[in-house]
Amino acid sequence: LTLAAGEAYWGIVPYTPQAPFRIHVRDAAPVEISSAAPIIDGLRKGGDAEFGFVVRAKARPLLLLSAQSDPRVSDLFALRLQRLGELAPEERRRIREQREPLLYHLRPESLPGMGQECAAMVSAPIRVHETALDTRDCLGQLDREELRRSPSVL
Amino acid sequence: VVLQSTPIKSNDVRVPRPRPGQALVVHRYGAEHVKAVILHPDDFAELRESSELLEQLSGTARPEMGELAVRVHRRGESPEGELIEDEASVRRLLGL
């Protein structure tokens, strides 16, 4: 399998961890901590101790920014896709007119597998492991020209 | 492909001086036929940086990972410490 920049797939994307943090414990409900400092203090006190964190995640369509860089390292960079159908008509219009610099409108023809218009969320590129992608179906692919015309992060 | 630049001596062309943030679009046969775009050097540098970033992200211009880089990356991604999931130990470390 060769993944290429500009291709889109469904992937499992965890929400960015933020307070309150939920620490996994065996056979009990997670321990909730309201800030990072006590966790960092505790882990540093514990030497090379590590906690398991309970983090929510969801299946999301992703646009790959990078091709597979090295078979020994399976990390990829990606942008999350926002389906325009979930937004208000005025918001959709602003995105189509490229008036939202951090929401880059993608031509529906480029991503036929999505079934609807999308915008790439340029504000926050994410890192994704290739095993977190469902590579059975490529949702579509932006061509090099479309990538070139896109905002700087793309 | 990274955006390439070709130097031309200022004696050889006559171009207006663009302000930073301004693109001077040179038309030919009407506004829909753009012949050239004149940018301030700062804006061009930013554009070129974006172009290089794209190349790096897409992997075509990215330097190959050496053994050391791979090892460091793997180490960063591999749990190496003891996973604490016993509730009493977790609470003790957290000072609860």
Side-chain angles (χ1 to χ4, degrees), chain B residues 15-19 22-26 36-39:
Chain B
V15 290
R17 190 184 293 270
R19 294 191 311 271
Q22 181 190 37
L24 299 172
V25 182
V26 183
V37 178
I38 302 161
L39 295 177

Side-chain angles (χ1 to χ4, degrees), chain B residues 25-80:
Chain B
V25 182
V26 183
H27 297 162
R28 189 182 191 186
Y29 313 125
E32 68 276 16
H33 293 102
V34 177
K35 184 181 179 187
V37 178
I38 302 161
L39 295 177
H40 187 273
D42 291 350
D43 294 327
F44 177 67
E46 202 173 307
L47 190 65
R48 196 146 108 167
E49 214 170 89
S50 302
S51 167
E52 286 166 0
L53 180 65
L54 168 63
E55 287 301 310
Q56 284 168 17
L57 286 171
S58 66
T60 50
R62 194 195 311 223
E64 226 173 85
M65 284 186 96
E67 281 306 318
L68 176 60
V70 170
R71 253 195 347 263
V72 169
H73 181 92
R74 281 186 178 152
R75 189 183 301 163
E77 290 301 308
S78 310
E80 50 187 13

